[in-house]
Amino acid sequence: MSGGFLTRPELLELGFGAVGEDVSIDASAVFYGAERISLGSHVRIDAGAVLSAGAGGILIGDHVHVSVRVFLTGAARIELRSFAGVSAGTAIFSSNDDYSGGWLTGPTVPEDLRNVTNAPVVLGEHAIVGAGCVILPGVTVGKGAAVGALSCVRRDVPPFTIVAGPRGEVIGERDRKLLELERELRER
């Protein structure tokens, strides 16, 4: 492998389910279950990102940026739809142990002694997630929605809504002009 971004042959050698055009992946990114990861076109995955695809797989659309030290993991499907962006240090989980104390936790424990929630996570088109966020199983961040830095998102975020904070509270609405800009880009 070369330093910096992987070459096209190096990308294909990783065995992804699909790889679009103009894909830039830093050589330090790590992929588990690459055959269950599909990458669209104009995708960039930065240094230290870890994508661990369970049975549901990971689908990354077109014009998606996954920043440094982002962690995507879980048994259920994770989708980052076109024009979505995930900022540095964010973790997205499609699986989560039950921490109530009624069950044991962790992958070293037999399944029958654990209570794991597995549910798909979707970042809609143009959804953006700020640095250091945690997105939990079953969450859909709607089209054009924005999640402020250091937020914990446990429930769906409606389209074009801005949420922030440890409880992911609504703080505003996002401008829809980005849809016009998308049309302009596609016409180029």
Side-chain angles (χ1 to χ4, degrees):
M1 284 191 214
S2 63
F5 290 119
L6 298 172
T7 64
R8 180 88 179 165
E10 289 170 333
L11 282 174
L12 297 176
E13 199 174 294
L14 290 173
F16 290 110
V19 179
E21 297 301 317
D22 186 30
V23 173
S24 299
I25 297 179
D26 189 275
S28 68
V30 177
F31 301 93
Y32 299 100
E35 68 279 3
R36 293 183 299 277
I37 299 173
S38 293
L39 306 171
S41 295
H42 313 290
V43 169
R44 179 172 150 177
I45 299 176
D46 290 342
V50 176
L51 282 68
S52 180
I58 295 175
L59 174 65
I60 297 179
D62 298 334
H63 295 281
V64 173
H65 179 220
V66 176
S67 191
V68 299
R69 297 180 341 273
V70 167
F71 182 47
L72 307 179
T73 190
R77 186 173 187 81
I78 297 173
E79 289 185 30
L80 309 181
R81 295 189 178 158
S82 294
F83 296 96
V86 184
S87 296
T90 288
I92 298 177
F93 299 95
S94 67
S95 297
N96 196 25
D97 276 300
D98 179 334
Y99 300 109
S100 67
W103 301 90
L104 294 177
T105 61
T108 62
V109 175
E111 294 268 337
D112 63 323
L113 301 176
R114 298 173 64 199
N115 183 32
V116 177
T117 298
N118 297 302
V121 175
V122 175
L123 298 189
E125 294 87 355
H126 298 285
I128 57 172
V129 179
C133 292
V134 174
I135 310 286
L136 294 176
V139 168
T140 294
V141 178
K143 180 177 185 172
V147 177
L150 302 175
S151 297
C152 181
V153 184
R154 298 175 291 148
R155 60 186 173 273
D156 291 351
V157 179
F160 293 96
T161 300
I162 302 170
V163 299
R167 296 178 183 257
E169 296 187 28
V170 175
I171 63 167
E173 188 171 309
R174 200 154 171 235
D175 194 324
R176 287 168 171 75
K177 182 178 180 192
L178 57 86
L179 298 174
E180 294 171 29
L181 297 171
E182 176 189 346
R183 279 191 293 279
E184 182 181 322
L185 174 66
R186 292 186 187 279
E187 290 170 1
R188 289 184 179 184

